[in-house]
Amino acid sequence: MPNLDNAELTAEVAPEMVRRQLAKVLDSPVFASSPRLQQFLRFAVEETLNGRGSELKEWVIGTRVYNRSTDFNPSSDSIVRVEASRLRAKLRAYYAGQGVADAVVISVPLGGYVPAWTITPQGLAPRQASSRKWQWLAAGALAAVALVGYSLYDGSGGGAGPVRPVIQLDGEERNPAISPDGKQLAFVRLGVAEPGLYISDLGGGAIRRAWPGTDIGRLAWTPDGRGIAFASTNGPQSQIALLDIRTGDAPRIVTINGGHFAWSADGEFLIVSHAQEPGQPSSLFSIRMRDRQWERLTTSTGQDGDRFPAVSPDGKSLAFFRGSSFRSELYVMGLQSPSQPKLAVSDVSFPSGLAWTPGRRSLTYSALNGTVPGLWEAAVDESPGQPPVAVHSSPGAVNPVSWQRGKTGVLVFEHSEYDLNLYQRRLDSENIPATRLSPSTKIDLNPALSPDGERVAFSSTRSGKMAIWVAPVQGGDAVPITSIEATRVGSPRWSPDGQWIAFDALIKGNRDVYIVGSHGGPQRRITESQAEEGRPSWSRDGKFVYFLSDRSGMAQIHRVDVRGGEVAQITRGGGYEAFETRDGASVVYIKDIDGTGLWTVPREGGTEVLVHKRPSSGCWAVAGGSVFYADRDSRDSNTLVRFDPDTGKERTVAVFERPLFCPVPSLTVSEDTKRIVWTQIDRSDSDLFQISYNP
């Protein structure tokens, strides 16, 4: 991600322009009733203009703005983080209304408290200013504009309007779907008293809940506008139901191993991403609705397979991603006369949504392009193979959907924000509360406790780029131990003697496993193939590292001698995360990123046995001969369970106040089972935004 350097930004926006814009924002009705937020924003802007932006830490703001005493402890008092969230919401509201046409946008990007500002197209003077200059601003400013989400450069060319909010409510709004007539918007609403599937007019107005539930995934209107298909997830499977808009009934129509689907243009077929066996790559199938007849459209051998199907408005083409969650390729194939898929874009990292661009023969998708996250547009017919063009640069922009009529249309997408922090607590004493571990304003993920339980390794952006850090559990300074230039660095795991840490790193679209000394030093790559490889863990004797690899065509657990040698494949039926058992005789593992279920296999390979159905990737750990897992299906959805594989018995040992962040490894337990560390979602927010397209 480009670094948001305030010196570069202020070189483009004169200080007097910033101060005029600040006065305008603070005098607006949005801020009129919030004097303390006015003081917060004024203080942050003035400190930055005076060259002291690097000093804007929680303690400084807490003592200077919120009158906290000099012993103010941000780890136990969240006033600054809470108020910063309110400030960002106020700024979004201002630029959605009164400030929508302002020449300067002021924002407070996530991950810190240093404000940023840039000039919008309305503020460029003269009017004929170079579009190339504005393109640089949009890409370089990134969160300064994108996280606010308004008046963005349209990197895809003429015809696209600015990004504007369409649904901003309490809680989270996710998984949008536009009705065939372009008048209504369906979406999933979470984090409220009545969660479920909601419907609203696309232009604004009253909303209504059409179906209750907290497990609703993706949505798709039927082409006749009479119903909405939605997925209810249960582990690797999804029950797809069809909601009748008139009656409110929602009978189940099909069960798939996956969660992505789309309607054919005539509504006669449902196209689904489906794995015939859990853990195998998914392929695309067409299901004829009148008789539920299945027909295979693609055959994939990639780690996760073929996902995110999107049917073109004319019904003639089908686009989809093929590959893994970390690295995929975008393909297009004929649908009315099926043909071999043609490559449209290669090396797409972390794809999260796909839609046909309104009024154009191109595709808009959400992903990471190089180091820049956001929405991207790629031509299909006119100039296939050309680099994608930025539509909206933002790390939170996901799940785009579109609607068009003729040359006009609209693109709606979800913008999500997370506040993630590390916490630790004792398991052997209920009287000691949980505390934040090594607090920072940056992203902290992937905790791993050292064998003695005294140190924790984790991945963080606190140095400006992702790296592995190590910090004392009892308090003290965290220090970085890696310096590798990578898009993503994560999954640290300690060797049994505490001298080494294995981790994975994504570099130029390829993820591999590395090791580094626990106090820093050279980083050595120990996997050499071009396959997708990561999620390492050590053997009990410290001689081998287990890891996932799709070199065989699907994700399996492999093992490599850290001193050099051949790689051995351990599993045959799929494998994603693994730990060796305490006696070193077996390996326990999770089969795939989306599935649940704990399996075991002899360390040299052999019969694979399911031993528990509940654990899922990211939120489980092995310690003291037991398996610990966060039971996300329990009544309060945040219990920590200890499972004994030898006896089959289990018991609840802790309850988390807030959800864990399980897309990545987020739970670690000390070998003596007395301490746990986890990644917690302290706050999550998601709203829906739109871009209008006109000739």
Side-chain angles (χ1 to χ4, degrees), residues 280-281 300-305 531 549-556 569:
Q280 291 185 351
S300 176
T301 58
Q303 177 177 327
D304 293 330
S549 175
D550 65 356
R551 61 179 64 193
S552 66
M554 66 179 293
Q556 304 284 2
Q569 182 175 332

Side-chain angles (χ1 to χ4, degrees), residues 465-488:
K465 65 177 182 180
M466 188 69 78
I468 303 298
W469 291 65
V470 172
V473 173
Q474 299 293 348
D477 293 335
V479 295
I481 62 168
T482 65
S483 57
I484 195 168
E485 294 291 337
T487 302
R488 179 189 177 274

Side-chain angles (χ1 to χ4, degrees), residues 252-335:
R252 180 179 61 85
I253 57 175
V254 69
T255 299
I256 62 174
N257 291 319
H260 303 149
F261 57 92
W263 289 102
S264 63
D266 57 13
E268 294 185 6
F269 297 88
L270 188 68
I271 298 169
V272 301
S273 175
H274 172 73
Q276 292 189 304
E277 294 292 338
Q280 291 185 351
S282 59
S283 297
L284 299 183
F285 294 82
S286 175
I287 305 174
R288 190 165 56 196
M289 286 292 96
R290 70 170 182 265
D291 56 9
R292 304 298 193 266
Q293 183 69 37
W294 288 57
E295 179 183 355
R296 179 185 289 272
L297 299 178
T298 68
T299 300
S300 176
T301 58
Q303 177 177 327
D304 293 330
D306 297 342
R307 300 166 297 143
F308 300 103
V311 177
S312 62
D314 61 10
K316 296 180 179 180
S317 300
L318 175 66
F320 60 92
F321 280 113
R322 170 172 290 173
S324 71
S325 299
F326 293 91
R327 182 180 60 194
S328 291
E329 296 174 325
L330 177 56
Y331 285 87
V332 178
M333 62 179 290
L335 192 55

Side-chain angles (χ1 to χ4, degrees), residues 115-318:
W117 38 79
T118 191
I119 302 176
T120 69
Q122 294 93 322
L124 287 175
R127 295 288 295 179
Q128 293 78 18
S130 166
S131 62
R132 183 176 181 180
K133 173 183 177 183
W134 177 241
Q135 184 174 6
W136 177 87
L137 273 174
L142 189 58
V145 177
L147 289 180
V148 175
Y150 313 105
S151 301
L152 292 173
Y153 163 74
D154 168 29
S156 57
V163 176
R164 299 186 186 279
V166 58
I167 297 289
Q168 290 182 299
L169 304 170
D170 292 338
E172 304 172 31
E173 297 83 57
R174 300 186 180 276
N175 299 331
I178 307 172
S179 63
D181 61 7
K183 296 180 179 180
Q184 292 183 296
L185 183 68
F187 57 93
V188 178
R189 192 178 182 194
L190 302 172
V192 292
E194 295 185 340
L197 190 165
Y198 280 74
I199 298 175
S200 170
D201 291 339
L202 187 56
I207 67 169
R208 65 180 180 90
R209 187 169 69 159
W211 189 261
T214 59
D215 61 348
I216 301 175
R218 296 182 179 274
L219 315 177
W221 288 79
T222 56
D224 61 10
R226 297 178 180 177
I228 301 172
F230 65 90
S232 296
T233 57
N234 180 18
Q237 287 191 330
S238 291
Q239 308 284 341
I240 299 181
L242 182 58
L243 173 67
D244 188 312
I245 300 298
R246 297 166 299 176
T247 67
D249 296 329
R252 180 179 61 85
I253 57 175
V254 69
T255 299
I256 62 174
N257 291 319
H260 303 149
F261 57 92
W263 289 102
S264 63
D266 57 13
E268 294 185 6
F269 297 88
L270 188 68
I271 298 169
V272 301
S273 175
H274 172 73
Q276 292 189 304
E277 294 292 338
Q280 291 185 351
S282 59
S283 297
L284 299 183
F285 294 82
S286 175
I287 305 174
R288 190 165 56 196
M289 286 292 96
R290 70 170 182 265
D291 56 9
R292 304 298 193 266
Q293 183 69 37
W294 288 57
E295 179 183 355
R296 179 185 289 272
L297 299 178
T298 68
T299 300
S300 176
T301 58
Q303 177 177 327
D304 293 330
D306 297 342
R307 300 166 297 143
F308 300 103
V311 177
S312 62
D314 61 10
K316 296 180 179 180
S317 300
L318 175 66

Side-chain angles (χ1 to χ4, degrees), residues 12 21 37 106 173 196 218 225 232 248 284 369 419 430 469 476 534 562 570 610 617 631 642 648 660:
E12 297 293 338
Q21 182 64 24
L37 290 181
I106 297 176
E173 297 83 57
R218 296 182 179 274
S232 296
L284 299 183
N369 185 28
D419 180 16
E430 296 182 357
W469 291 65
V562 295
I570 308 302
L610 177 67
S617 68
D631 188 357
R642 180 173 182 171
L660 277 65

